[in-house]
Amino acid sequence: MPRAGLDRAAVISAGAALADEIGFPNVTMGLLAERVGVRTPSLYKHVESLEALRHGICVQAMRELRDAVAGAVAGRSGPDAVRAIAGAHRRWVLDHPGRHAATVRAPATDDEEGQRVVGEAMQVFLNVLNGFGLHGAQAVDAARVLRSALHGFVSLECAGGFGLPRDVARSHRFLVETLVEGLRAA
């Protein structure tokens, strides 16, 4: 009989929290079982495998990130929207580094749930880029540039990659303003 209060969503949420603490690649069914207070075989009543757990963490993380950036850009456009996305993205990643690592890989083409969530998140970016007059293939290119720059910066920040004595938030603002100017020029 499954432990009271433990279901698929609770297991995935606990896995996401564990990923934030120890890193996404380090999450194992054994460590998660310890975390939720059950024996490892009991987890398989809720998630079929470690791969299913990782998929669940990825989808949950993408939803959270989508919601964070969508909420930040509501009612904004153009440069203000890019700044809002960048700020929301950075805050979310700094709060959830393990979950962020789960969002890097694109979902498989047969992963309907993952594709839907990623599509919704991408639409937020595309809507912002439309405000710069970017559409179609050009908007996809711009979205990739924006995502790559934001992801790269916060990934380095999370890993302690900025050792120079300069405020990292100031450098992030410089990156964002550089992106805004590039989008204006596009």
Side-chain angles (χ1 to χ4, degrees):
M1 174 159 217
R3 188 176 133 219
L6 198 61
D7 59 14
R8 181 177 178 80
V11 168
I12 290 170
S13 289
L18 184 60
D20 287 339
E21 292 174 29
I22 67 171
F24 182 66
N26 300 320
V27 173
T28 66
M29 296 296 268
L31 290 173
L32 182 56
E34 286 178 30
R35 169 62 58 91
V36 298
V38 298
R39 293 174 18 145
T40 303
S42 298
L43 286 181
Y44 291 96
K45 295 175 184 170
H46 307 290
V47 290
E48 307 77 47
S49 63
L50 178 59
E51 187 59 34
L53 173 67
R54 289 179 184 209
H55 176 265
I57 293 169
C58 175
V59 171
Q60 176 181 319
M62 283 303 303
R63 281 189 187 118
E64 292 173 3
L65 184 53
R66 172 205 63 203
D67 293 348
V69 297
V73 301
R76 297 172 188 220
S77 64
D80 191 38
V82 172
R83 291 179 191 107
I85 279 181
H89 178 267
R90 181 171 180 246
R91 282 187 300 279
W92 186 84
V93 172
L94 292 176
D95 288 343
H96 304 292
R99 293 174 216 210
H100 178 249
T103 68
V104 173
R105 185 170 206 164
T109 55
D110 64 343
D111 177 2
E112 292 177 22
E113 182 181 28
Q115 288 287 336
R116 183 181 49 75
V117 174
V118 166
E120 292 166 357
M122 178 60 117
Q123 193 58 53
V124 173
F125 279 78
L126 293 175
N127 290 344
V128 168
L129 295 168
N130 287 339
F132 287 89
L134 301 172
H135 305 281
Q138 193 177 26
V140 171
D141 291 341
R144 286 177 175 165
V145 167
L146 184 58
R147 179 181 180 222
S148 297
L150 298 177
H151 168 79
F153 189 97
V154 294
S155 293
L156 286 166
E157 184 176 7
C158 285
F162 296 129
L164 296 175
R166 176 106 169 129
D167 180 43
V168 175
R170 177 175 288 205
S171 297
H172 185 261
R173 285 190 300 276
F174 182 82
L175 169 75
V176 173
E177 292 308 314
T178 302
L179 290 168
V180 165
E181 289 308 311
L183 292 169
R184 282 180 173 150

